[in-house]
Amino acid sequence: MLPSSIIVILATALFTLGAALILFWAWRRGFFSDLDAQSRVIFEDRDWRLVRPWETDADRAARERSHGALQKPDAGEWGGAS
Amino acid sequence: MTRISLIALGAFAIMASAICLLVLVPQAMLGKVQAPAQLSGYTGVQARGRGVYMREGCVYCHSQQVRDPAFTTDVDRGWGTRATVPADYVYDRPHLLGTMRSGPDLINVGQRIPDLDWHLIHLYDPRSLVEWSNMPAFPYLFEEKQPANVLPNDRVITIPGPRAPKGVVVVAKLDAIALAEYLVSLKRQYPVSPDAQATEQMVGGSHGAR
Amino acid sequence: MSTPDITHGQGFQHTVRPNAGVHALSASTLDAGEVRAVATSRGLAPEDLDVRLRADASSRTVVLVLFSVAVIWLIVGSLFGDLASMKLHWPDLLVQQPWLTFGRVRTAHLHAVNYGWATAALIGTSLWLMPRLVHAELRGDGLALLGGVLFTIGITVGIVAVLMGYTDGMEWLEAPRYAAGPFLVIGGGLVGLSLFRTVAARQSEHLYVSVWYILGAFIWFPMLYITGKWPTWSGVESAAVNWFFAHNVLGFWLTAMSVGAAYYFIPKVLGRPVYSYQLSVVGFWSLAMFYSLNGMHHLVGGPLPTWMITTSIVASVFMFIPVVATGINLHMTVVGRFGALRYSPTLRFIVLGALAYTAVSLQGSFTALHEVNRVTHFTHWTVAHSHVGGYAFVTFVCFGAMYYIVPRVVGHEWPSAKLIRWHFNTVLAGIAIYVIALTGAGVAQGMALLNPATPFEQSVIRAMPGLYGRTVGGIILTIGHFVFAYHFWLMLRMPRTVPRRSRPPFHEAQPVLYTPEAAAASHSARAGAGAVASASTRAGATE
């Protein structure tokens, strides 16, 4: 049940293989190492230290221990009204 | 190579491979499908009618495909004597296969309802013929004339029942007639070769008779 | 000490952040040496502390314009949708005018909400996010603005053309290619160019997952569009192309940007990184691989080579890999912190949106299976499914993103908690009613169609109650949209506290959120501390 156009089949295989090779090469180059650091890129110091009303005292204490003195959020910080 | 180039190349390659597999391969295969001898292309009027079908969005409520009787009950319901095959759609540009059946499938409606006047009346006011129908009416494809103004060549239609408009004569405009002609042309019940029905064997060249 | 002027609209505003600790930068409390010390201790150059604010400022105008356009499309699209829904149970409603016939109004609705509302809101969100993600100002923001305007013109031309009776004929691809196409291609291209140039100018070594999704969207959509709009397709090949495009525009354009936004806002508001960043790599690449192959599931049973249909069903089932990966990330990040939804409208919308994404994707995989498809194909089930995805997922993410971004763009928080609550409650109720009613209608219709002994009439009659229910749901949604649009207008009308397109230097005030209490507190604090009488104080960064 082979489609007749062998050229297009080969092109499909080539692109798919190409994609796989690119991903493999990226992995070898270390682009997938230290992913945890990548996950922290969006945070600034202030994000770690904001007082979040939904967190427990234990959570806040943990934040303070890891990141330093806590800060009050601004009005509307979480996307709402004050 | 930077990370961006990587992401860009990887994304491009994956999509390119999908385009090859699902667009270019089928194009290469199905491009070899010949029109069946019993299927003629659309005449000028029918083609115009097909354009009206597209313009009014008929495809959003009506499908034009009969599915395999081994899979489901389209044939049992009377929408065709066989499943439709790619060859049935060779002259369709673009396809109007449809994805909704708010209304019945139409690929064989010319076989079921060959009466042009039925289609014209139905287009003017679907509920005058089919009281449970929720199809829109298309009065703007028609003209309501005073009886004195009717010309000898006008295609007059008579609306049955209590919904008939009073005191005017309903005349079909060219677009309505063309659309009705297109609908009446929809017949795909000529036999096709058994291997054409097994659509996965669409290998061009090995079905020389087609 | 002179009292700085704190009135609105006077250029730079002079406040000190409330509760400014050692990490807030106020030129009046830290000298240049201390600034350098603080920056160095955080591994940043002093000018980096200003980067986020410059990043936000650089995207401000184009984001505001695109969001305004999006809100207008939301209203227009909702009204078209309500009208189309009503016509299905009141078929003699407004039939005299050709431009109001169901077949054209339905298409106008689809374009207005997908290419109008969702696209504009997501592009606006992406243009705001990108500078933040790569810590660089938006490059080519003027051209991006032009691009957004051109794109909007293109969509408008397309919708007007369809209403007037000009269509290219394939669902999702109706906008006439030579009338609307140039605007869409050039407009979209300018926006994409701006995003790519911004990434190229990035200052961060890492590329966060949201960047991949946004870049992916702007690579994939042109490829899809060119493929879909190529003028030579005919016959069943055109059907294959049609549904290759229409399904992939959902996954590679709308979903990509929505997931990218969710990956940013959920961790950001919660102050927790995503549950498993490794999974986000898996999620991205497996989405690309499998989603691209499943478009033919719209044609199950249709006149196409069986191998194509089978490939699409298999790919649809394999979709559980990216969906579970992304789902784990987005849901597990929130687990234990669901209380946050009470405080953050952004989270309320985006977390629910992410749940809807998981739900609609699992529903989609399920629907592609032959046994289920026999019942659901050609029915209202599919329309209901598309609204779980396009509304409960994509639109909810857009709402959540806008609730977060707009205050940071106009300089003050949303004025009314009540309006936010009304918006959320109405659209949540509306979409629930919509989906339940229409899914029920679809199942009733499908079961009737499946039984050849049941006359076709029954498939119409049994779906009717659900169609009425869908109109009720749709009207409730529309009310919610009017509430949101009104609130958005109020935001635009409030005095601007930050000048447009400003690039103020490091030492000058950068207030993003101003409240009267904060200003009062800062005056007394500075008077008490005997601070240097500086007309400018660093307001410090706010998110």
Side-chain angles (χ1 to χ4, degrees):
Chain A
M1 181 223 85
L2 264 188
S4 60
S5 178
I6 201 71
I7 296 176
V8 186
I9 284 288
L10 279 178
T12 309
L14 231 80
F15 277 117
T16 315
L17 202 63
L21 277 173
I22 290 171
L23 279 173
F24 176 72
W25 186 69
W27 173 61
R28 288 300 297 272
R29 273 279 289 253
F31 286 169
F32 297 133
S33 57
D34 198 17
L35 287 179
D36 279 331
Q38 286 199 33
S39 75
R40 286 170 160 68
V41 154
I42 58 172
F43 298 107
E44 297 191 5
D45 194 64
R46 184 175 171 277
D47 293 313
W48 298 118
R49 293 143 58 94
L50 283 174
V51 172
R52 290 173 165 84
W54 56 84
E55 288 186 338
T56 62
D57 288 333
D59 296 327
R60 290 188 198 136
R63 273 192 195 283
E64 190 149 16
R65 272 197 305 277
S66 324
H67 304 286
L70 296 186
Q71 285 179 359
K72 252 192 166 174
D74 287 318
E77 179 79 47
W78 320 116
S82 50
Chain B
M1 186 191 273
T2 65
R3 291 167 196 241
I4 308 171
S5 323
L6 209 93
I7 292 172
L9 259 178
F12 174 83
I14 290 179
M15 180 62 81
S17 109
I19 291 175
C20 282
L21 188 65
L22 289 180
V23 173
L24 298 181
V25 166
Q27 173 66 23
M29 289 165 49
L30 295 166
K32 295 180 170 61
V33 169
Q34 310 267 339
Q38 306 94 321
L39 183 67
S40 35
Y42 298 109
T43 65
V45 173
Q46 290 165 355
R48 178 182 177 141
R50 192 171 198 273
V52 175
Y53 187 100
M54 280 168 43
R55 181 184 84 197
E56 304 303 338
C58 305
V59 72
Y60 303 114
C61 287
H62 291 281
S63 59
Q64 286 187 11
Q65 50 181 290
V66 176
R67 294 175 292 174
D68 188 348
F71 173 52
T72 187
T73 56
D74 290 359
V75 169
D76 292 332
R77 185 170 277 287
W79 281 337
T81 50
R82 59 164 175 82
T84 48
V85 297
D88 291 328
Y89 303 94
V90 164
Y91 295 115
D92 287 6
R93 187 173 177 153
H95 78 98
L96 291 168
L97 289 180
T99 51
M100 282 290 287
R101 282 178 177 171
S102 302
D105 185 87
L106 296 180
I107 194 62
N108 285 304
V109 69
Q111 210 98 37
R112 290 197 301 277
I113 309 173
D115 179 8
L116 207 73
D117 281 323
W118 187 96
H119 288 289
L120 288 171
I121 297 170
H122 185 245
L123 285 168
Y124 176 78
D125 182 6
R127 278 156 287 290
S128 64
L129 292 175
V130 183
E131 60 177 17
W132 47 262
S133 169
N134 65 341
M135 171 165 144
F138 295 92
Y140 52 86
L141 295 178
F142 299 83
E143 230 181 310
E144 292 174 1
K145 290 185 169 181
Q146 294 302 314
N149 297 337
V150 176
L151 303 170
N153 286 337
D154 279 345
R155 185 77 187 239
V156 171
I157 58 168
T158 315
I159 315 297
R163 291 175 67 97
K166 310 267 184 297
V168 290
V169 172
V170 180
V171 171
K173 294 195 217 167
L174 187 51
D175 275 347
I177 298 170
L179 179 54
E181 292 278 9
Y182 165 69
L183 291 171
V184 160
S185 79
L186 288 176
K187 299 171 195 170
R188 301 288 188 275
Q189 298 193 157
Y190 47 83
V192 291
S193 56
D195 36 63
Q197 290 207 40
T199 51
E200 69 262 35
Q201 290 171 31
M202 274 307 172
V203 181
S206 68
H207 299 273
R210 287 192 295 108
Chain C
M1 187 194 88
S2 64
T3 309
D5 182 37
I6 57 161
T7 53
H8 297 298
Q10 295 252 335
F12 303 131
Q13 187 175 333
H14 314 295
T15 65
V16 164
R17 281 179 32 91
N19 300 310
V22 69
H23 292 270
L25 292 182
S26 160
S28 64
T29 58
L30 297 173
D31 63 26
E34 286 166 327
V35 166
R36 272 197 298 278
V38 169
T40 313
S41 72
R42 284 203 263 150
L44 295 170
E47 52 272 15
D48 284 356
L49 294 163
D50 191 34
V51 156
R52 180 171 20 80
L53 297 169
R54 284 212 303 270
D56 282 1
S58 65
S59 62
R60 183 172 295 136
T61 307
V62 63
V63 168
L64 258 185
V65 169
L66 280 171
F67 280 174
S68 305
V69 163
V71 170
I72 294 171
W73 281 125
L74 180 65
I75 299 297
V76 167
S78 304
L79 294 173
F80 275 128
D82 293 337
L83 181 60
S85 182
M86 285 189 242
K87 279 168 171 279
L88 282 183
H89 52 74
W90 292 328
D92 286 318
L93 179 68
L94 295 174
V95 292
Q96 297 297 330
Q97 307 301 326
W99 62 277
L100 286 176
T101 191
F102 173 79
R104 302 189 201 183
V105 166
R106 181 214 194 256
T107 304
H109 163 72
L110 192 148
H111 282 236
V113 297
N114 286 300
Y115 299 125
W117 151 250
T119 293
L122 288 172
I123 290 180
T125 300
S126 301
L127 285 167
W128 184 86
L129 275 179
M130 192 58 93
R132 282 253 184 152
L133 291 164
V134 300
H135 303 149
E137 289 177 61
L138 190 66
R139 295 295 189 270
D141 56 315
L143 285 179
L145 177 59
L146 175 64
V149 169
L150 288 177
F151 194 88
T152 303
I153 292 174
I155 299 300
T156 310
V157 165
I159 291 176
V160 168
V162 162
L163 291 175
M164 287 172 60
Y166 302 100
T167 172
D168 279 357
M170 296 208 288
E171 197 172 344
W172 284 86
L173 287 163
E174 294 93 338
R177 61 173 60 80
Y178 301 120
F183 291 104
L184 299 174
V185 169
I186 297 174
L190 287 174
V191 174
L193 192 64
S194 171
L195 288 168
F196 273 93
R197 284 175 57 196
T198 305
V199 176
R202 75 192 179 289
Q203 301 301 312
S204 59
E205 175 56 23
H206 298 296
L207 282 179
Y208 189 64
V209 52
S210 304
V211 175
W212 319 336
Y213 278 106
I214 295 172
L215 289 186
F218 278 86
I219 292 170
W220 288 320
F221 188 64
M223 294 174 78
L224 291 172
Y225 187 76
I226 291 170
T227 304
K229 283 310 233 181
W230 200 257
T232 61
W233 311 119
S234 69
V236 296
E237 308 96 82
S238 65
V241 170
N242 190 169
W243 292 103
F244 180 79
F245 173 87
H247 199 82
N248 286 341
V249 78
L250 301 176
F252 291 111
W253 179 243
L254 298 182
T255 297
M257 287 194 284
S258 301
V259 169
Y263 263 114
Y264 181 84
F265 290 112
I266 293 178
K268 187 74 161 172
V269 172
L270 289 176
R272 282 169 126 186
V274 293
Y275 183 74
S276 163
Y277 201 74
Q278 288 79 357
L279 273 182
S280 56
V281 179
V282 170
F284 179 78
W285 292 108
S286 59
L287 177 83
M289 281 193 294
F290 298 125
Y291 204 107
S292 54
L293 297 178
N294 69 13
M296 300 304 114
H297 65 219
H298 289 268
L299 292 164
V300 171
L304 276 169
T306 308
W307 67 264
M308 292 181 70
I309 312 275
T310 308
T311 303
S312 75
I313 297 177
V314 168
S316 302
V317 172
F318 268 73
M319 275 300 293
F320 87 85
I321 296 175
V323 167
V324 165
T326 304
I328 288 178
N329 259 335
L330 297 179
H331 308 325
M332 292 303 287
T333 306
V334 187
V335 155
R337 299 281 188 270
F338 279 105
L341 271 64
R342 276 176 39 225
Y343 295 91
S344 170
T346 295
L347 278 188
R348 227 173 287 157
F349 276 107
I350 297 188
V351 167
L352 285 184
L355 282 168
Y357 172 59
T358 304
V360 78
S361 305
L362 295 177
Q363 183 192 24
S365 301
F366 179 63
T367 306
L369 301 172
H370 273 113
E371 281 311 306
V372 180
N373 201 270
R374 286 178 81 219
V375 179
T376 65
H377 195 30
F378 296 126
T379 71
H380 303 294
W381 166 285
T382 308
V383 180
H385 169 74
S386 71
H387 283 79
V388 178
Y391 195 90
F393 166 46
V394 172
T395 294
F396 266 41
V397 169
C398 291
F399 285 145
M402 286 177 70
Y403 273 119
Y404 190 90
I405 295 172
V406 175
R408 289 156 174 80
V409 164
V410 301
H412 44 73
E413 73 274 23
W414 294 90
S416 167
K418 189 166 67 171
L419 286 177
I420 299 179
R421 203 167 51 244
W422 283 1
H423 174 221
F424 179 76
N425 290 340
T426 44
V427 300
L428 187 63
I431 193 62
I433 293 171
Y434 185 111
V435 168
I436 292 169
L438 201 60
T439 302
V443 172
Q445 179 191 15
M447 299 297 290
L449 282 175
L450 197 55
N451 183 354
T454 310
F456 184 82
E457 163 182 2
Q458 286 303 312
S459 74
V460 175
I461 291 172
R462 292 180 196 174
M464 271 298 152
L467 296 183
Y468 278 98
R470 186 255 298 268
T471 296
V472 169
I475 290 176
I476 295 174
L477 289 175
T478 306
I479 292 172
H481 299 159
F482 273 102
V483 169
F484 178 65
Y486 172 63
H487 202 189
F488 180 78
W489 184 75
L490 285 182
M491 280 291 259
L492 295 183
R493 297 277 297 160
M494 284 167 74
R496 297 182 58 77
T497 54
V498 185
R500 280 177 205 270
R501 302 177 60 84
S502 65
R503 307 278 197 272
F506 165 73
H507 59 273
E508 290 196 41
Q510 280 301 297
V512 177
L513 292 177
Y514 163 80
T515 61
E517 304 90 289
S522 77
H523 295 319
S524 53
R526 285 197 292 130
V532 170
S534 163
S536 321
T537 50
R538 182 104 177 87
T542 46
E543 291 305 298

